[in-house]
Amino acid sequence: MGMFTSKQKFTADSVYSKEVKPLLKKDGFTHVIMVNSFSKWINQIFGAEDKYTVQIDGILSDMQNDNFEIIDVKFDSLKNQGVFKDMEGFHTLITYK
């Protein structure tokens, strides 16, 4: 795991424990949680989006480790985001039980 990937995983773990986990409900009903994130800086190459992949996968893995069932994952993207308008913003909607 590279230096940036390790930092991205650390960030995902932190966001999960501080922001996502307190909002999760474990009552047998179906719920959703939305996670907002950004692409890599100057993401204009053909290849895997490792920042988003590592961070969202980390949150999904943490949820499953806490015995939540992931039902669906959807996202949308917004271009020209960030301070310099050079990033894509992602909204990820996770449906879980």
Side-chain angles (χ1 to χ4, degrees), residues 54-69:
V54 168
Q55 291 177 342
I56 294 300
D57 186 64
I59 288 173
L60 293 171
S61 294
D62 287 341
M63 288 177 72
Q64 291 173 92
N65 287 333
D66 284 341
N67 297 312
F68 290 98
E69 175 188 354

Side-chain angles (χ1 to χ4, degrees), residues 22-91:
L23 296 174
L24 298 177
K25 299 174 185 175
K26 196 175 273 189
D27 57 12
F29 292 104
T30 300
H31 298 282
V32 296
I33 182 117
M34 181 170 285
V35 179
N36 296 319
S37 56
F38 287 105
S39 65
K40 294 185 284 191
W41 184 65
I42 307 179
N43 186 25
Q44 298 176 8
I45 61 168
F46 177 70
E49 175 52 69
D50 63 329
K51 178 183 176 193
Y52 175 81
T53 301
V54 168
Q55 291 177 342
I56 294 300
D57 186 64
I59 288 173
L60 293 171
S61 294
D62 287 341
M63 288 177 72
Q64 291 173 92
N65 287 333
D66 284 341
N67 297 312
F68 290 98
E69 175 188 354
I70 305 301
I71 297 169
D72 193 22
V73 179
K74 293 183 168 107
F75 82 100
D76 69 357
S77 62
L78 301 166
K79 293 192 178 286
N80 304 319
Q81 300 298 300
V83 176
F84 299 108
K85 307 289 185 211
D86 57 358
M87 300 173 84
E88 284 185 79
F90 298 116
H91 298 138

